[in-house]
Amino acid sequence: MPNHEDAGFPLAAEGPPATPETSPRLVSSLCGGGSCPTVYATDRDTVLVQGNAVTGFAVPDGELLVEIPRDLLIEAARRIMAQDA
């Protein structure tokens, strides 16, 4: 899994929209390097979430489930709200 320093953002062949033209911006991460759960912001007012792939659930074609720690989601939301203020 790529990290926020070498973010290649592999995408499913069918489904998700193309990666934004500009590089996603790091919002919050649980580590300074290596593979770890991370939240990025895009220039399309969306977020990208890097986490551990989850299996065992039925999801529509082109979609994936990833698991991230709750604290990372809360911190990412706090930072996004602060940027919007």
Side-chain angles (χ1 to χ4, degrees), residues 30-59:
L30 293 182
C31 65
S35 295
C36 64
T38 306
V39 176
Y40 304 89
T42 72
D43 60 354
R44 298 182 311 191
D45 203 26
T46 62
V47 295
L48 302 174
V49 178
Q50 175 183 324
N52 297 313
V54 176
T55 59
F57 292 93
V59 296

Side-chain angles (χ1 to χ4, degrees), residues 10-77:
L11 299 175
E14 299 174 15
T19 302
E21 302 253 342
T22 58
S23 295
R25 184 181 77 257
L26 175 67
V27 173
S28 187
S29 180
L30 293 182
C31 65
S35 295
C36 64
T38 306
V39 176
Y40 304 89
T42 72
D43 60 354
R44 298 182 311 191
D45 203 26
T46 62
V47 295
L48 302 174
V49 178
Q50 175 183 324
N52 297 313
V54 176
T55 59
F57 292 93
V59 296
D61 288 342
E63 293 185 4
L64 303 172
L65 288 177
V66 297
E67 183 176 26
I68 63 171
R70 181 177 182 267
D71 290 345
L72 175 60
L73 184 59
I74 291 168
E75 178 61 17

